[in-house]
Amino acid sequence: MADQATHDLRQTPLHGLHVSLGARMVPFAGYDMPVQFEGVKPEHLWTREHAGLFDVSHMGPCFLTLKEGPSGSEDAHKAIAALIEEVVPSNIAGLKPGQARLTTLLNDDGGILDDLIITRLPDEKQNGRLYIVVNGAVKAQDWALFEKQFKGRAVLQPADHRVLMALQGPEAVEVFKDEFPGCEALGFMKAMLAAWEGAECMVSRCGYTGEDGFEILIPADAGQTLAAKLLKDDRVKPIGLGARDSLRLEAGLCLYGHDMDATRTPVEADLQWVIQKSRRERADFPGAAKILDQLANGPAEKRVGIRPLERAPAREGTEIQVNGETVGIVTSGGFGPTVDAPVAMGYIRADLAEPGTQIELMVRGKARMAEVAALPFIEHNYKR
Amino acid sequence: MTQKFTQQVTFYTEDHEWVTVHGDLATVGITRYAADQLGDVVFVETPEVGKTVKKGDEMAVVESVKAASDVYAPMSGEVIDANGALADAPEKVNEHPETEGWFCVIKFSDGAETEGLMDKDAYYEYCKGLA
C-alpha cells in the first residue's frame, strides 16, 4: 500500500526493533519509519505522563570542524562560529561549552531553508567543532550548502549512520540517569559527552514534545542495545511519528516544510527570538535588510496558534476567513489528545494575529468558528 | 427495480463500510477493521438528513487523530436519518463500529446495488488479503 517502493527506502539502525514491536511502518523523509505502535492517542498521552522513546535517526546529525582541526583555544570556537554565522542569524560565538541553540538556515531573501540545533561541544579541547542536527527531509541539501559555503575552511562529517533517539516525558530523567549519570544536572538545551558501555555518546537535554527529556547520538550497535534496554523499563514505551506530530503541535513547535519554508522569514514564523541582539546590531546574516525591516515595522503575515471552537479538526491547507475574505491558511492542524480538542497553527494577516480574534476555517466548504490562540497549547515542561 | 429485503442482511464494501438492509432501508457504518486502522476517531461529519446520495459519492467524513478519511455512499437514495450521538461521542465508532457507531440510514432506490457488495465471509477473506 506504500506509494514509494519500500526497497528504495533507507532504514535506521532501529528498523528491525520497530518491526519486531509490530509498528505500522510508512515512508518518511526517505526512510521506512514507524508511524504508530499502540496508537497515536495512547502514545501521545503516555509521553505526557511517563516517558516515550522516539527513533529520530532519519534526521541529519553532523559535525562541522575547522579545517585545521579542533584546539583548546577559545579562538578556535570563535572561528567555527564565525563560519556558521554566515548562514544563520543566531549568536553562535557566544555559546558556552555544552550549550545548544535553535536557529534557522537562511537564504539571501531571509527565507528559512531549515531549522537546526547547533551545539558547542562540551569538551573545550574540541573548540573549533560544532554538533549540528538538521531536518531529515532536507539534510542532503543542507549538507550540500555547508560543503559549498565552507569549502577549504571547514570539514563536514555527517553522523546519520548512528542512532539518534529521544526519550521524552516527565519520567525520562529518572530512566536516563541510570544509564547516563550526571544527565539529571543538565539544564534545558545543554549537552554532555558520555560513554555508554564503552560507546561515545552525545546527550542533550532537548526535544520536540514540549516535555522534559533527552536526545542522544550513539553508535548504531550500542544504540540498538540501549533502545532495547530502555524499552524493558515499565515507564518507557516506543512512540511513532503520529504522536510525535501531535505532541509538537500542542507544544507550538514548527514542522519544517509546513509551518515554515523558504517563503517565510523567522519574523513571520514568530521565531524572531532566534536572532540575538548582537546579530541584529551587526546585521550580517542572509536577508538581514528584509528581516530587520520586519522586526522594526512588523511582517505582513504571522504564524499563530488556532483553536477551532467546534469539534471538526482543520487540517493543513484549510483557508482562514474573516467576513468572507481569505486572510490566512492553516499549516498544521489536527487533534490534540492532551488538550482534548482540535488544535492548529497557521499564517494570518498580522492585524488579525492577536489571541482571541474570531476567525472562520473553511473545512470542506463549511465555515467553522475558530479563534486565534496563544502558543503553546500546553505548558512547556522544560528543565530550566 | 426496487428489491425489498424481507429479512435483515448485512453487506460489506471494499472501502470497509458495512450496510445492513431491511425493507428499503440501509443502515451504514464503517467496519471494525476500518475503525482499528483509523485509530482514535475524534470527529464524524454525518450527511444531512434529506440529502440525496448516489452510490460512490463522498457521503461522510471520519477524522482520527491522524487524518481525515472519506466515507462513500454504498447505495443510492435519500438519507433519512443520521447518528446525532456521534457529535458528542465520536469514540463510539471505535468502541462499537458495527452497532452504536452507525453513521446514517439511506432509503435506497435500487436494491440491485447490493449485488456487487460482499457478504461477511467474502469481506473477511478480503481483509485477510490486505494484511
Side-chain angles (χ1 to χ4, degrees):
Chain A
M1 65 179 263
D3 296 332
Q4 202 172 348
T6 40
H7 60 261
D8 289 340
L9 293 172
R10 293 178 67 180
Q11 297 182 351
T12 75
L14 302 183
H15 185 271
L17 180 63
H18 303 319
V19 171
S20 75
L21 292 168
R24 193 183 301 169
M25 306 297 287
V26 297
F28 183 79
Y31 286 77
D32 192 33
M33 295 295 286
V35 67
Q36 67 173 66
F37 294 85
E38 184 186 347
V40 176
K41 190 171 169 183
E43 290 169 34
H44 176 116
L45 295 173
W46 183 268
T47 305
R48 291 256 184 265
E49 284 166 26
H50 305 282
L53 186 67
F54 301 73
D55 179 13
V56 288
S57 309
H58 65 289
M59 293 187 72
C62 64
F63 293 89
L64 187 70
T65 311
L66 287 177
K67 186 172 165 258
E68 52 271 32
S71 86
S73 81
E74 186 67 20
D75 284 349
H77 171 67
K78 292 282 187 291
I80 192 72
L83 291 189
I84 198 75
E85 286 184 6
E86 292 172 8
V87 289
V88 305
S90 303
N91 174 5
I92 304 302
L95 290 181
K96 295 180 178 63
Q99 187 182 0
R101 195 158 260 175
L102 176 75
T103 188
T104 54
L105 190 62
L106 296 177
N107 66 23
D108 289 338
D109 298 322
I112 302 173
L113 295 172
D114 198 4
D115 63 324
L116 54 163
I117 291 182
I118 299 180
T119 306
R120 177 175 175 180
L121 286 237
D123 175 1
E124 288 188 70
K125 287 198 285 292
Q126 297 208 47
N127 283 344
R129 176 173 288 160
L130 298 172
Y131 170 50
I132 303 176
V133 180
V134 304
N135 273 299
V138 289
K139 63 184 173 184
Q141 66 205 58
D142 286 5
W143 287 342
L145 185 152
F146 291 165
E147 294 277 11
K148 189 169 167 229
Q149 181 79 19
F150 307 127
K151 194 171 186 338
R153 300 190 289 165
V155 179
L156 178 75
Q157 295 167 279
D160 60 342
H161 51 287
R162 302 187 201 179
V163 165
L164 185 66
M165 59 186 167
L167 189 69
Q168 300 278 295
E171 293 178 351
V173 61
E174 287 301 313
V175 174
F176 228 51
K177 75 177 171 48
D178 291 342
E179 307 300 330
F180 299 96
C183 75
E184 69 277 13
L186 289 173
F188 181 60
M189 297 301 276
K190 297 288 189 320
M192 65 179 221
L193 295 165
W196 191 81
E197 299 197 344
E200 254 187 67
C201 310
M202 174 85 77
V203 175
S204 308
R205 199 156 199 171
C206 63
Y208 193 44
T209 60
E211 297 300 323
D212 183 25
F214 299 88
E215 278 183 13
I216 178 172
L217 181 72
I218 180 169
D221 290 357
Q224 289 166 343
T225 313
L226 175 61
K229 184 176 181 193
L230 291 171
L231 288 172
K232 286 207 182 88
D233 191 305
D234 287 344
R235 295 165 290 188
V236 180
K237 284 189 179 181
I239 310 296
L241 293 171
R244 184 170 182 254
D245 193 53
S246 57
L247 287 159
R248 69 91 197 166
L249 177 56
E250 280 186 342
L253 302 172
C254 292
L255 175 60
Y256 188 74
H258 301 260
D259 306 306
M260 54 188 171
D261 57 33
T263 70
R264 304 289 186 182
T265 69
V267 184
E268 293 162 22
D270 201 22
L271 296 173
Q272 59 280 353
W273 53 271
V274 306
I275 315 169
Q276 282 80 25
K277 189 161 166 259
S278 62
R279 300 301 308 277
R280 296 181 192 197
E281 286 167 2
R282 291 195 336 245
D284 59 349
F285 49 86
K290 178 176 177 179
I291 286 172
L292 293 171
D293 176 69
Q294 287 184 343
L295 282 169
N297 303 311
E301 283 191 299
K302 217 181 129 187
R303 180 177 65 94
V304 294
I306 296 163
R307 276 264 206 177
L309 298 176
E310 301 172 47
R311 299 278 302 185
R315 307 281 175 181
E316 180 178 3
T318 301
E319 256 185 41
I320 306 171
Q321 293 193 349
V322 171
N323 298 328
E325 186 192 348
T326 301
V327 295
I329 193 158
V330 171
T331 52
S332 280
F335 188 83
T338 303
V339 176
D340 195 25
V343 288
M345 290 198 278
Y347 282 81
I348 194 167
R349 230 171 56 198
D351 60 305
L352 300 168
E354 199 56 39
T357 305
Q358 300 293 303
I359 55 177
E360 288 178 336
L361 303 173
M362 302 305 291
V363 179
R364 292 180 287 275
K366 266 184 233 160
R368 302 272 190 183
M369 295 291 294
E371 64 181 28
V372 175
L375 292 173
F377 293 105
I378 50 108
E379 208 174 314
H380 287 162
N381 187 23
Y382 300 143
K383 162 88 174 172
R384 295 289 180 185
Chain B
M1 62 144 218
T2 299
Q3 183 183 341
K4 296 276 183 187
F5 292 83
T6 50
Q7 288 195 339
Q8 184 172 304
V9 197
T10 300
F11 298 98
Y12 299 84
T13 73
E14 291 183 0
D15 298 315
H16 304 285
E17 292 136 2
W18 55 266
V19 191
T20 298
V21 292
H22 193 197
D24 59 356
L25 300 183
T27 306
V28 182
I30 64 169
T31 64
R32 164 62 65 192
Y33 178 90
D36 288 350
Q37 287 291 311
L38 287 171
D40 293 285
V41 171
V42 296
F43 179 75
V44 179
E45 192 169 301
T46 52
E48 279 168 38
V49 172
K51 188 179 176 180
T52 304
V53 294
K54 246 178 50 209
K55 181 174 177 156
D57 282 355
E58 290 168 11
M59 174 184 77
V61 176
V62 53
E63 300 242 16
S64 68
V65 176
K66 256 183 306 202
S69 308
D70 289 316
V71 177
Y72 303 98
M75 299 182 78
S76 307
E78 184 191 343
V79 176
I80 62 155
D81 198 4
N83 188 355
L86 297 182
D88 289 322
E91 64 275 8
K92 281 183 191 293
V93 176
N94 293 110
E95 290 163 2
H96 306 290
E98 304 195 14
T99 53
E100 278 179 51
W102 63 280
F103 279 31
C104 65
V105 178
I106 298 172
K107 183 173 184 185
F108 58 83
S109 46
D110 182 3
E113 283 182 345
T114 57
E115 276 165 23
L117 304 179
M118 290 175 271
D119 66 11
K120 192 170 188 142
D121 290 342
Y123 178 67
Y124 179 76
E125 289 301 317
Y126 173 72
C127 290
K128 255 183 24 189
L130 299 176

